């Protein structure tokens, strides 16, 4: 048998149509999955982060150091920061404001890296070294918060005072 | 004197006819193309020599010919008849292939699917020309431009056509730099050939490890008959990417694939005995194989143009030609043609995406055709 009759007799049209459809749908589906794989990985990574942030929020009201105004008699320690450190200080202040106190250093670092802060480890280390960030005590041991009795002083202002 | 005459009458010179001479010339041509022109030498040299081995006239019944039971060549041919060699070659291909270009630009995988149009169009053409459905399916798969897949499917559906189909498939794969450029130029404008592609994003190790598992499960659940080919392809790739089975990956991409290529090439070549090979059907197969290859190339290019109509980010339509799975030759041809228009336009890594997708696509198409014909 020859010609279109041969195709019809062998169910050629159906086979060809279904064949193309299966090949296309397989590769299209595979392409779709692969295109969303990074998104899927992000989601998987966010699940533990989501739970840890929830845990932090639960801990906050009970164990966070009270955000009361320091007593007038409480002496504030003044620290001077370089331009880079000041930038890191502002960045981490905003970031931890969103995350809430007390915060996990690891989480803060990860978020800072994600947000593209330059040398986040160094910046955070400087803030810890200068006492701006300190480790919590009691139930929140292992988490960190901002020191209430440390004040950041503008370097330029100090210089001008000296000049005078 | 009588003994001498008997001896002379038993030599190949006395038994040979013009068909043997033709096939020996074809074998020599393959060896020449492989050595002098560097056209797929790893395939054409074993096949070419196999053609010589298969076409030395011998007495039937002595257990020498490839189709005679108990002969050495017949034992080696078992791997072709039962479809053992192609999956082993796919294992090696998987262990060699870097899928990251494809993972970085998943939409280019669709070009690999579009190029499989050649398979199904040729299947219909073969039916029209009077081939049986099993034979038509085996001929159509030549358009996939994938030798192991073509051998695998024809061994399952039309074992008597394995020789001509394999020779046609490998010949056209070797002739990619000759067949594809005119079609590419005909179907694209200069402006289209000048389109530059965005740099692909970096692909993480985790994605590369997850892909073979996800890809295998997805493809084989949709087209289970592709399991022997795709299973080995993705397994080989997992060995490569997981980094903890490097010895196995190394063996798969060197010793295994090399040994199997030698056996496959020699036996496929030897299966082209003049009396079996030089038939009207073989001429039909060669004609349809060429058509299949051209339609596949055109299908990929036209689909890329279609994607440009609906997509904001333009694709260089030349990439569509790489959808035929002659890895990496068709990708190289894309690079070559793109480079002629703009020497600073590097398309090779982008072309590898549809090229590798084409391997998966043609294996899926083979699986689909096999399941329909069972």
């Amino acid at each position: 048998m020859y010609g279109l009759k041969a195709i019809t007799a062998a169910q050629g049209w159906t086979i060809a149509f279904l064949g193309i459809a299966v090949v296309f749908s397989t590769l299209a589906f595979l392409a779709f999955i692969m295109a969303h794989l990074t998104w899927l990985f992000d989601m998987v990574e966010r699940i533990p982060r989501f739970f840890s942030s929830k845990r932090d929020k639960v801990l906050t009201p009970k164990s966070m150091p009270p955000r009361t105004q320091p007593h007038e008699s409480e002496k504030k320690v003044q620290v001077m920061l370089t331009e880079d450190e000041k930038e890191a200080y502002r960045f981490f202040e905003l970031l931890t404001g969103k995350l809430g106190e007390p915060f996990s250093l690891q989480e803060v670092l990860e978020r800072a890296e994600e947000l593209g802060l330059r040398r986040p480890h160094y910046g955070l280390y400087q803030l810890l070294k200068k006492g701006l960030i300190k480790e919590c005590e009691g139930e929140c041991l292992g988490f960190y918060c901002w020191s209430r009795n440390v004040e950041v002083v503008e370097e330029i202002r100090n210089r001008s005072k000296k000049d005078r | 004197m009588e003994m001498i005459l008997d001896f002379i009458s038993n030599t190949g010179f006395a038994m040979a006819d013009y068909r043997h001479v033709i096939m020996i010339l074809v074998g020599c041509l393959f060896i020449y193309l492989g050595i002098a022109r560097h056209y797929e030498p790893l395939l054409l040299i074993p096949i070419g020599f196999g053609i010589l081995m298969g076409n030395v006239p011998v007495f039937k019944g002595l257990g020498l010919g490839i189709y005679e039971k108990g002969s050495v060549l017949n034992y080696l041919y078992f791997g072709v008849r039962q479809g053992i060699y192609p999956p082993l070659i796919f294992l090696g291909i998987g262990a060699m292939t870097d899928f990251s270009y494809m993972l970085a630009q998943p939409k280019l995988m669709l070009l690999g699917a579009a190029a499989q149009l050649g398979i199904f169009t040729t299947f219909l053409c073969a039916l029209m020309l009077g081939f049986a459905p099993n034979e038509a399916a085996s001929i159509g798969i030549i358009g996939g431009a994938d030798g192991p897949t073509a051998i695998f499917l024809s061994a399952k559906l039309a074992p008597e056509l394995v020789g001509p189909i394999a020779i046609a498939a490998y010949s056209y794969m070797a002739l990619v730099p000759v067949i594809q450029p005119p079609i590419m130029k005909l179907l694209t404008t200069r402006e289209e050939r000048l389109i530059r592609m965005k740099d692909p994003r970096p692909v993480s190790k985790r994605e590369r490890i997850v892909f073979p598992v996800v890809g295998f499960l997805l493809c084989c659940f949709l087209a289970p008959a592709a399991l022997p080919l795709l299973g080995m392809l993705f397994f080989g790739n997992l060995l490569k990417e997981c980094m903890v089975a490097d010895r196995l990956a190394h063996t798969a991409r060197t010793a295994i694939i090399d040994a199997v290529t030698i056996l496959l090439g020699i036996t496929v070549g030897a299966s082209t005995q003049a009396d079996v090979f030089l038939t009207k059907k073989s001429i039909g197969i060669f004609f349809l194989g060429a058509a299949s290859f051209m339609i596949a190339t055109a299908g990929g290019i036209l689909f890329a143009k279609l994607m440009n109509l609906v997509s904001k980010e333009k694709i260089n339509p030349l990439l569509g030609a790489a959808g035929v799975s002659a890895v990496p030759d068709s990708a190289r041809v894309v690079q070559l043609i793109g480079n002629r228009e703009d020497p600073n336009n590097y398309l090779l890594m982008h072309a590898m995406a549809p090229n590798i997708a084409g391997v998966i696509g043609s294996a899926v198409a083979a699986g689909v055709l096999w399941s329909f014909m069972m």
Side-chain angles (χ1 to χ4, degrees):
Chain A
M1 204 183 289
Y2 294 92
L4 294 176
K5 274 183 187 172
I7 296 177
T8 314
Q11 291 185 311
W13 299 116
T14 317
I15 292 170
F17 178 76
L18 280 176
I20 292 169
V22 171
V23 172
F24 248 95
S25 52
T26 304
L27 283 173
F29 196 32
L30 192 59
F32 177 80
I33 299 270
M34 297 328 291
H36 290 82
L37 206 60
T38 44
W39 175 81
L40 203 71
F41 286 147
D42 282 350
M43 284 295 287
V44 171
E45 271 179 10
R46 274 180 201 172
I47 291 168
R49 230 187 264 164
F50 172 75
F51 283 113
S52 71
S53 66
K54 267 209 158 183
R55 185 189 59 197
D56 293 349
K57 275 177 190 168
V58 170
L59 284 170
T60 305
K62 281 183 186 173
S63 49
M64 197 187 120
R67 278 176 174 265
T68 50
Q69 289 296 318
H71 196 265
E72 279 179 9
S73 60
E74 216 174 89
K75 200 181 172 184
K76 282 203 167 186
V77 181
Q78 292 189 331
V79 288
M80 282 202 318
L81 299 176
T82 62
E83 278 303 314
D84 281 356
E85 287 165 358
K86 258 191 273 179
E87 192 190 329
Y89 169 69
R90 283 187 213 113
F91 181 87
F92 285 116
E93 200 178 28
L94 280 170
L95 183 61
T96 53
K98 276 185 186 173
L99 292 173
E101 280 188 66
F103 45 82
S104 141
L105 280 191
Q106 193 189 341
E107 192 182 358
V108 169
L109 272 173
E110 279 175 9
R111 297 295 293 272
E113 274 174 357
E114 278 173 14
L115 294 167
L117 179 71
R118 200 162 52 91
R119 298 199 299 165
H121 290 84
Y122 176 77
L124 205 56
Y125 173 70
Q126 290 303 320
L127 298 182
L128 280 163
K129 209 169 95 178
K130 296 200 170 171
L132 280 159
I133 292 175
K134 63 173 188 179
E135 191 172 5
C136 300
E137 289 167 3
E139 280 183 23
C140 291
L141 194 69
F143 288 87
Y144 288 76
C145 54
W146 292 99
S147 294
R148 311 285 161 209
N149 59 344
V150 179
E151 193 181 22
V152 178
V153 185
E154 291 286 323
E155 204 176 358
I156 301 164
R157 198 181 63 191
N158 288 353
R159 266 186 203 158
S160 59
K161 274 180 187 174
K162 275 181 192 173
D163 293 343
R164 280 175 212 165
Chain B
M1 188 65 187
E2 201 174 307
M3 274 179 75
I4 293 168
L5 286 174
D6 268 356
F7 173 75
I8 290 170
S9 65
N10 288 345
T11 60
F13 291 107
M15 285 189 282
D17 62 29
Y18 74 97
R19 294 175 304 175
H20 295 109
V21 176
I22 292 172
M23 288 312 296
I24 285 170
L25 287 175
V26 171
C28 291
L29 178 71
F30 271 46
I31 294 171
Y32 167 78
L33 289 175
I35 295 172
R37 296 293 180 95
H38 296 267
Y39 286 170
E40 299 271 1
L42 301 182
L43 296 169
L44 290 195
I45 295 171
I47 292 177
F49 204 82
I51 295 174
L52 301 186
M53 283 170 74
N55 286 283
V56 172
V58 288
F59 267 125
K60 287 197 174 158
L62 284 179
L64 294 170
I66 195 163
Y67 294 112
E68 287 185 70
K69 276 190 181 170
S71 73
V72 175
L73 284 175
N74 188 260
Y75 277 115
L76 296 179
Y77 194 53
F78 180 81
V80 174
R81 275 202 318 268
Q82 297 302 316
I84 296 168
Y85 295 150
L88 289 175
I89 289 195
F90 263 59
L91 175 74
I93 293 172
M96 280 182 200
T97 308
D98 184 357
F99 282 95
S100 55
Y101 301 114
M102 192 178 80
L103 296 178
Q105 307 165 92
K107 68 176 178 182
L108 295 182
M109 285 170 81
L110 295 177
L111 301 179
Q116 309 313 317
L117 201 69
I119 293 175
F120 296 99
T121 313
T122 312
F123 165 69
L124 294 176
C125 294
L127 284 176
M128 279 178 79
L129 291 176
F131 283 93
N134 281 6
E135 294 172 342
S138 306
I139 295 165
I141 206 74
I142 297 172
D146 196 341
T149 308
I151 291 169
F152 180 79
L153 190 68
S154 49
K156 298 286 173 197
L157 297 180
E160 70 283 359
L161 297 182
V162 168
I165 286 173
I167 298 294
Y170 281 116
S171 307
Y172 294 131
M173 277 169 69
L175 293 173
V176 160
V178 179
I179 297 172
Q180 285 198 315
I183 302 166
M184 290 158 86
K185 283 186 180 171
L186 187 74
L187 294 176
T188 54
T189 61
R190 187 168 185 275
E191 286 70 34
E192 285 173 330
R193 293 196 289 271
L194 285 170
I195 294 174
R196 288 195 180 196
M197 300 289 293
K198 258 193 192 171
D199 283 343
R201 69 172 175 85
V203 175
S204 69
K205 192 80 207 159
R206 195 158 42 168
E207 280 176 88
R208 280 187 276 163
I209 291 173
V210 168
F211 172 70
V213 179
V214 173
F216 165 68
L217 291 174
L218 186 69
C219 294
C220 291
F221 268 89
L222 280 169
L227 193 133
L229 294 173
L230 288 180
M232 294 303 248
L233 178 80
F234 285 122
F235 172 57
N237 191 248
L238 183 63
L239 290 178
K240 173 184 177 278
E241 297 296 352
C242 72
M243 304 287 281
V244 291
D246 207 38
R247 267 174 52 196
L248 301 185
H250 180 75
T251 308
R253 67 173 164 257
T254 53
I256 291 181
I257 197 168
D258 289 349
V260 177
T261 303
I262 289 170
L263 294 175
L264 184 79
I266 283 285
T267 48
V268 163
S271 71
T272 61
Q273 282 183 0
D275 49 342
V276 180
F277 191 80
L278 290 178
T279 59
K280 274 184 188 171
K281 269 189 179 173
S282 299
I283 296 165
I285 288 167
F286 269 83
F287 169 73
L288 285 167
S292 180
F293 212 86
M294 287 189 247
I295 295 167
T297 306
I301 295 169
L302 293 174
F303 193 77
K305 292 175 81 140
L306 187 71
M307 280 172 81
N308 279 346
L309 290 178
V310 292
S311 166
K312 280 180 190 170
E313 203 179 304
K314 299 290 174 202
I315 297 169
N316 191 319
L318 292 177
L319 296 181
V324 298
S325 52
V327 180
D329 281 9
S330 51
R332 267 194 228 139
V333 170
V334 169
Q335 165 70 13
L336 196 78
I337 302 293
N339 240 243
R340 274 187 202 156
E341 301 293 346
D342 175 4
N344 294 319
N345 194 2
Y346 300 103
L347 294 171
L348 185 66
M349 59 185 170
H350 303 285
M352 284 306 289
N355 211 187
I356 296 162
V359 177
I360 300 172
S362 60
V364 171
V368 170
L369 285 170
W370 188 19
S371 60
F372 278 131
M373 299 298 153
M374 274 194 295

